[in-house]
Amino acid sequence: MKLTMHDIRGVVGIVPTPATEDASDWRATDTIDVPETRRMVRAVVDAGVDVIMTTGTFGECATLTWEELQTFVGTVVKEVGGSRPVFAGVTTLNTRDTISRGRALMELGADGLFVGRPMWLAMDEGAIVRFYQDVAKALPGVPLVVYDNPSAFKGKISPAAYRALAEIPEVVASKHVGGPALATDMADIGHRMRLLPLEIDWVDIARDFPDRALACWSGSVACAPAPIVALRDA
């Protein structure tokens, strides 16, 4: 069954990509530390993290080879074993690679995709919306989490662009950068897609929007998931 925004609740943990000791060597051909990946995923799952996302910025989305990405996502999916949703990160430098990688990772068993726009030059509102529309059109029915990271993508997604993205049925959530725009975006479109604040912003925004701020994102779940899960429970 297709995931919706209502399935995105609790802690959305973005895991790093464990690397082998020779990962910095140009001759290395497979730098995914598979045993460590399994241990990491098991620790995150056992701690109670609700949703897992892979290959964000510090997850090496821009530096893994295609073969390594498949190895990593496949390992994560297998270790999670369907116990909670897995969104595979597919940020690339162009729409075609994002689509082709997304299609293949869904076939590996991912439940949805964590999608950043091309990481090269800044895109205006129209181009950002068109990018996500194209991905959704190419991958109909695939749940998408938008990756809003001003540093990586050279600009924040505007309120107008967010309103347009909320019209795309496949878009179920967005990893939000926070700051003053969080409250504005939550009020505007938080009832149409799940906006994910950083865990340290979750309490404040949940006080103002208790029926909308039902999940957060964290890049720290591989380091110390217990305090973040305790925050969810509190």
Side-chain angles (χ1 to χ4, degrees):
M1 185 175 68
K2 177 184 179 295
L3 297 172
T4 71
M5 65 173 284
H6 303 291
D7 297 303
I8 313 300
R9 300 174 67 97
V11 178
V12 179
I14 309 176
V15 295
T17 303
T20 57
E21 291 186 1
D22 66 342
S24 62
D25 191 328
W26 65 268
R27 291 162 294 194
T29 57
D30 186 355
T31 68
I32 304 300
D33 187 334
V34 172
E36 183 60 25
T37 297
R38 291 179 181 138
R39 285 191 292 270
M40 173 188 69
V41 172
R42 180 48 46 199
V44 169
V45 168
D46 289 347
V49 172
D50 301 280
V51 179
I52 294 176
M53 295 203 298
T54 75
T55 36
T57 307
F58 70 87
E60 309 298 338
C61 66
T63 55
L64 295 180
T65 65
W66 173 221
E67 291 75 15
E68 290 170 334
L69 179 61
Q70 292 176 89
T71 296
F72 180 61
V73 171
T75 301
V76 172
V77 166
K78 184 176 181 180
E79 194 65 29
V80 170
S83 62
R84 64 256 297 127
V86 174
F87 285 80
V90 289
T91 301
T92 75
L93 291 180
N94 67 81
T95 306
R96 292 168 297 172
D97 278 343
T98 296
I99 290 169
S100 64
R101 290 188 175 200
R103 184 176 290 118
L105 294 181
M106 290 300 295
E107 291 176 356
L108 277 179
D111 300 290
L113 301 174
F114 179 33
V115 186
R117 55 197 189 266
M119 303 172 71
W120 188 247
L121 298 175
M123 298 170 68
D124 62 22
E125 288 181 352
I128 292 171
V129 174
R130 171 67 183 275
F131 168 74
Y132 284 101
Q133 287 173 335
D134 288 345
V135 173
K137 184 176 181 179
L139 303 171
V142 173
L144 307 177
V145 174
V146 173
Y147 191 178
D148 190 359
N149 183 326
S151 297
F153 304 115
K154 302 174 177 63
K156 189 194 174 301
I157 296 175
S158 69
Y162 260 127
R163 285 191 290 272
L165 293 176
E167 297 291 336
I168 303 172
E170 283 76 11
V171 173
V172 298
S174 177
K175 172 184 175 288
H176 201 283
V177 67
L182 177 58
T184 300
D185 291 337
M186 188 70 75
D188 193 17
I189 55 96
H191 62 296
R192 298 163 63 196
M193 73 164 73
R194 185 73 72 217
L195 287 184
L196 304 172
L198 181 60
E199 79 275 287
I200 60 174
D201 298 325
W202 197 10
V203 171
D204 288 338
I205 197 68
R207 286 182 178 135
D208 294 333
F209 300 93
D211 60 335
R212 300 185 183 186
L214 300 179
C216 77
W217 70 270
S218 175
S220 302
V221 292
C223 303
I228 304 167
V229 173
L231 175 66
R232 176 203 66 194
D233 295 342

